[in-house]
Structures are given as C-alpha cells and as structure tokens.
Amino acid sequence: MDENLAKARALLAAASRIAVLTGAGISAESGIPTFRDAMSAAGPPQGARPPGGERREATIGGDHVAGPPQGAGPPGGERREATIGGGHTAGLWAQFRPEDLATPEAFAANPKVVWEWYAWRRERVAKAAPNAGHTALANLERRAAHFALITQNVDGLHRRAGSRNVIELHGNIMIDRCFAEGRVLAAADELPGTPPRCARCGALVRPGVVWFGEMLPPKALEDAFAAAQGCDVFLSIGTSTVVEPAASLPFAALDAGASVIEVNPTRTPLSARATIVLAGAAGEVLPRLLG
Ligand code: APR
C-alpha cells in the first residue's frame, strides 16, 4: 500500500486537472449502507428495518435483480446496471428489490411503500455526518487548479463537508419533486399526505433522486464526461462500477490518457485497468493520500 500511495501522491502532485467519482462506499463510514456490500459486522442498526420492504434472498447467479444486463459502455443517459456474476448477495439490494422501490413504475404502483422507504433513508442521511474521506476531498478541491467531484450518492454529504463543484448524477434524496411536472417543491408547495401531493397540480410528490430506467440530468452527465475526458488524474472512490452510465466514466478517463486511481477495499471491473489500486476504506486511505 505504501508504495502505491507514494506513486498516487506523485501523480496528484503533478496534476493540474483532477476529477473524482464517488459511490456509496465513501459514505459507508458515515453509517449509510451501500447497495451491494455485506452489511457491516454490526448488521443493520436497531429499528433499521423500513416499512414495506420484505426480506428476500437475492438470486445467486440467476436473473439480475435490477434492469436487464448490459455491457459497460456508451454513456446513454438512462440509468441501468451492468451485471457482474449474477445476483446481489449483500447491501440494501440484497434486502430489498430495486424494482419494488427504485423505479417510477414501483412508485406509481405503491407510492406509500416507496415514500416510506425513502423517508427511512432520509432519516439516516439526516443523522449522518461527513467522514474523513469527504473532508479530504473538500480540502483537495481547495488546493487543485481544476477540480470536479462527480457523485452517484444522493446523501449530500460532499457539500456538507465543504465541497463546492459537486455533480450529483443521481439527484438528491433530501429534495422533493412533483411526480408529474418534475419541478422541485418546497414544503409550502405540498399538500399533506403519505406521500404528499403537489399543491399546484395535485400529483404525487416524489423524492428528487434518479430511479432505474430514468434519464440522468443531461447537463450533469455532460459535465461529468467532460471532466473525465479532460483530467490528468481521475480518482474512483467507493463504487462497484456496475451502474451505467457512471460506470463508464473511469474508462472514458483512461481512454483519454488520464491516470486512474481506484480506492476500494474490494476489486471491481475497473481494478484490472486502473493505473493504481489503493485497496482500503476511503476514510482511512484518503487522508493518507491527500493529507
Ligand atoms: N471505502 C471505500 N469503498 C468502500 C467502503 C469504504 N469504507 N465500503 C465499501 N466500499 C466499496 C465496496 O467494495 C463497493 O465496491 O464501495 C462499493 C459500493 O458499491 P455499491 O453498493 O454498488 O454502490 P455504488 O457503486 O455507489 O452504486 C451505484 O447503484 O443502486 C444504485 O443508486 C445506487 O448510486 C447507486 C448506484
């Protein structure tokens, strides 16, 4: 690790344009469960079982639980998942079926169940605090000449840590939107209910996240690929690199000639092509790498 850390620090010291991609792993040490990882030894905290999501063993090696399998590749705007070796055996997606909770169809079919599941996740996000990994990236941004932080996370912890140039590819869980008009709603724009309703058109209110099968915000996607294809060093932190189009970003950076540094305790589809792999937890590795 030390040798790789020294090499990675040298690459970053020589870089003027830095782009970073983060996934659920960077928030794991803040107590927010990832989607595809075995729950921490402690298991889900007391009372963590949300309403509606019955326990289900994911199929192993069978059909994929979310979306049709697709190869990693072109940055189409629709959110989808590339399979690696069958079904999920860990993380949130081992406990709950994405197709029951994280698609517009699921919301239309069971708005109360889906709303309560997001309310449960919002509660956990509200109680969480940024960790040393988030803080190290905020400090790096202050030092770097050109810096972009692309996140798949909807928890807002990067901004709470002081990061500014944050590209939220999958939206933000603390924001409400009108299910029909798509516009952001403040509490005053909503009629009470579970879920609430839009005071202007009467449609359901939905969480401001991008669900499977939905298009990512075009400007965010464009900015993310521009940052990846225009950087000298690309950091890929705490992501399993299986959900497209975000999963294509580190490969786009590699293809454009950038050095790619991966920070993850386990291997991903990127590990074999990454310039340097730092196998460890973001909250421990990033302060050492960026401190
Ligand atoms: N530090 C760094 N990486 C970690 C840590 C940690 N402390 N703990 C776990 N990881 C790694 C895991 O090894 C795994 O590779 O983080 C990754 C988390 O992967 P996922 O749970 O698949 O999360 P992510 O890649 O962000 O998922 C992408 O899929 O379900 C959707 O909406 C969801 O935005 C998310 C998208």
Side-chain angles (χ1 to χ4, degrees):
M1 169 71 96
D2 290 351
E3 198 189 325
N4 279 352
L5 260 178
K7 283 189 199 144
R9 285 173 72 91
L11 284 175
L12 285 161
S16 70
R17 310 183 77 84
I18 298 170
V20 179
L21 173 68
T22 63
I26 196 167
S27 294
E29 292 152 274
S30 295
I32 300 179
T34 66
F35 296 90
R36 295 172 189 85
D37 274 323
M39 282 289 174
S40 62
Q46 194 50 48
R49 163 88 32 236
E54 85 281 1
R55 178 121 187 63
R56 182 190 78 79
E57 288 308 314
T59 56
I60 298 177
D63 290 342
H64 199 62
V65 292
Q70 311 258 352
E78 186 186 316
R79 194 151 156 235
R80 53 186 171 72
E81 186 161 332
T83 52
I84 43 173
H88 299 301
T89 57
L92 280 174
W93 292 149
Q95 293 184 57
F96 315 107
R97 293 155 38 104
E99 62 265 38
D100 291 344
L101 293 163
T103 66
E105 295 77 20
F107 184 64
N110 290 302
K112 185 169 182 300
V113 168
V114 173
W115 182 262
E116 289 180 338
W117 190 64
Y118 279 91
W120 170 70
R121 290 180 57 199
R122 279 179 171 178
E123 232 179 83
R124 298 188 66 169
V125 166
K127 285 194 194 120
N131 61 57
H134 297 105
T135 308
L137 290 175
N139 294 337
L140 176 63
E141 179 177 10
R142 280 187 272 275
R143 297 197 304 270
H146 302 278
F147 183 90
L149 175 44
I150 308 154
T151 189
Q152 298 167 86
N153 300 346
V154 296
D155 57 32
L157 289 181
H158 284 302
R159 285 216 172 87
R160 282 170 56 192
S163 290
R164 289 161 300 171
N165 185 10
V166 181
I167 301 170
E168 291 179 321
L169 287 179
H170 296 164
N172 189 308
I173 199 169
M174 304 311 262
I175 287 173
D176 284 353
R177 286 184 180 278
C178 170
F179 193 33
E181 302 164 309
R183 67 193 176 96
V184 173
L185 299 175
D189 307 323
E190 299 176 5
L191 303 172
T194 309
R197 286 192 174 269
C198 171
R200 186 158 82 179
C201 74
L204 293 170
V205 173
R206 56 163 295 170
V209 298
V210 179
W211 281 323
F212 285 103
E214 291 189 315
M215 301 301 279
L216 273 62
K219 176 84 174 58
L221 191 58
E222 199 186 305
D223 292 349
F225 274 89
Q229 290 159 337
C231 69
D232 310 311
V233 173
F234 187 98
L235 280 164
S236 187
I237 304 166
T239 179
S240 54
T241 322
V242 297
V243 174
E244 294 290 356
S248 289
L249 287 163
F251 297 97
L254 278 168
D255 295 345
S259 301
V260 171
I261 301 167
E262 183 179 52
V263 179
N264 196 317
T266 64
R267 290 185 70 76
T268 75
L270 172 66
S271 308
R273 285 198 58 197
T275 315
I276 297 175
V277 174
L278 301 174
E284 288 156 26
V285 171
L286 292 178
R288 293 175 64 194
L289 175 65
L290 307 175

